[in-house]
Amino acid sequence: MTIKSSISLTDDQHSFAKTLVDSGRFPSVSAVLQQGVELLREKMEDEALERAALAEILGKRRSGPFLSAARMDSRLARMIDKKRRAYAVRD
């Protein structure tokens, strides 16, 4: 189903959309705008999925074991030392 809707574009937006139509990339300015709305919808859905995944990761992390700051510093120091040796980096 298609619904007609009246919109307003700036001169620059209309010029850009018209350029896309004139170059043959889209059959009409309406098609350009439909594509833009679809891309925005996809972007927002992707962001929602990313937020949900991050919330899940953070939830798992909160319920898991925690390391003390001293233990984490020690672990990081070992990791850095290992990388330095692997790449023959000296202090």
Side-chain angles (χ1 to χ4, degrees), residues 43-58:
K43 179 183 179 218
M44 293 177 79
E45 287 177 356
D46 288 348
E47 288 172 351
L49 288 172
E50 288 172 4
R51 281 192 302 274
L54 181 57
E56 182 180 342
I57 290 168
L58 291 174

Side-chain angles (χ1 to χ4, degrees), residues 70-85:
R71 188 162 176 204
M72 182 55 84
D73 287 345
S74 174
R75 183 181 282 187
L76 289 171
R78 286 193 312 271
M79 289 169 59
I80 291 169
D81 186 51
K82 183 178 177 182
K83 289 290 183 184
R84 282 185 175 150
R85 283 188 310 235

Side-chain angles (χ1 to χ4, degrees), residues 9 20 26 31 40 72 74 90:
L9 298 175
L20 293 173
F26 289 90
L40 181 58
M72 182 55 84
S74 174
R90 296 178 190 194

Side-chain angles (χ1 to χ4, degrees), residues 4-91:
K4 284 194 169 217
S5 183
S6 175
I7 63 158
S8 297
L9 298 175
T10 66
D11 289 340
D12 287 343
Q13 290 168 334
H14 185 265
S15 177
F16 177 70
K18 191 79 172 99
T19 299
L20 293 173
V21 171
D22 292 345
S23 70
R25 293 192 64 177
F26 289 90
S28 65
V29 170
S30 180
V32 173
L33 298 176
Q34 289 171 345
Q35 178 68 33
V37 170
E38 182 61 24
L39 289 171
L40 181 58
R41 184 188 64 78
E42 289 173 7
K43 179 183 179 218
M44 293 177 79
E45 287 177 356
D46 288 348
E47 288 172 351
L49 288 172
E50 288 172 4
R51 281 192 302 274
L54 181 57
E56 182 180 342
I57 290 168
L58 291 174
K60 287 179 180 178
R61 181 64 188 113
R62 281 190 204 109
S63 65
F66 285 89
L67 299 176
S68 68
R71 188 162 176 204
M72 182 55 84
D73 287 345
S74 174
R75 183 181 282 187
L76 289 171
R78 286 193 312 271
M79 289 169 59
I80 291 169
D81 186 51
K82 183 178 177 182
K83 289 290 183 184
R84 282 185 175 150
R85 283 188 310 235
Y87 294 103
V89 175
R90 296 178 190 194
D91 289 333

